[in-house]
Amino acid sequence: MLSLFSFSDMDLDEGNLNVPYADKMVHFTFYLVFSILGCLLVRERTKGLWPMGKATRVIVVLAISYGIVIEVLQYTLTEDRMAEFGDVVANTLGAFVGIGLIRWFFSKEKPLKWKF
């Protein structure tokens, strides 16, 4: 729940590093990893009995819903955090790219096996 924590009081030395849209890249990367690990978790917990399509649909809906809920909570519960539509877009794109990578890993020429 660090998404709701305020870092404004912390003395963070940013130095001269100024990366445009760095926060959007972090959102994208987090949700990419979230969706990959989520699919692998579902695969392990169901022992491959859920088809890949069902697992990826559940995880992408979960990831996008979680991202939207966090943005709404930032808007309603915090005073110094902002909800941004761009964050939701970055979250969504990251989730879809992660799902795309899972589908690619399990469908290429020598794929990983979805079922055990």
Side-chain angles (χ1 to χ4, degrees), residues 19-32 71 74 81-95:
V19 179
Y21 305 109
D23 67 321
K24 304 304 181 254
M25 287 186 270
V26 170
H27 280 266
F28 177 87
T29 303
F30 177 80
Y31 282 84
L32 180 137
E71 291 300 316
Q74 282 181 353
R81 299 294 309 263
M82 291 181 9
E84 294 183 30
F85 181 71
D87 290 347
V88 173
V89 170
N91 298 346
T92 302
L93 289 174

Side-chain angles (χ1 to χ4, degrees), residues 23-50:
D23 67 321
K24 304 304 181 254
M25 287 186 270
V26 170
H27 280 266
F28 177 87
T29 303
F30 177 80
Y31 282 84
L32 180 137
V33 172
F34 180 114
S35 60
I36 290 173
L37 293 178
C39 284
L40 293 176
L41 174 74
V42 167
R43 177 179 176 265
E44 291 295 317
R45 297 297 292 174
T46 65
K47 300 201 184 315
L49 295 177
W50 276 21

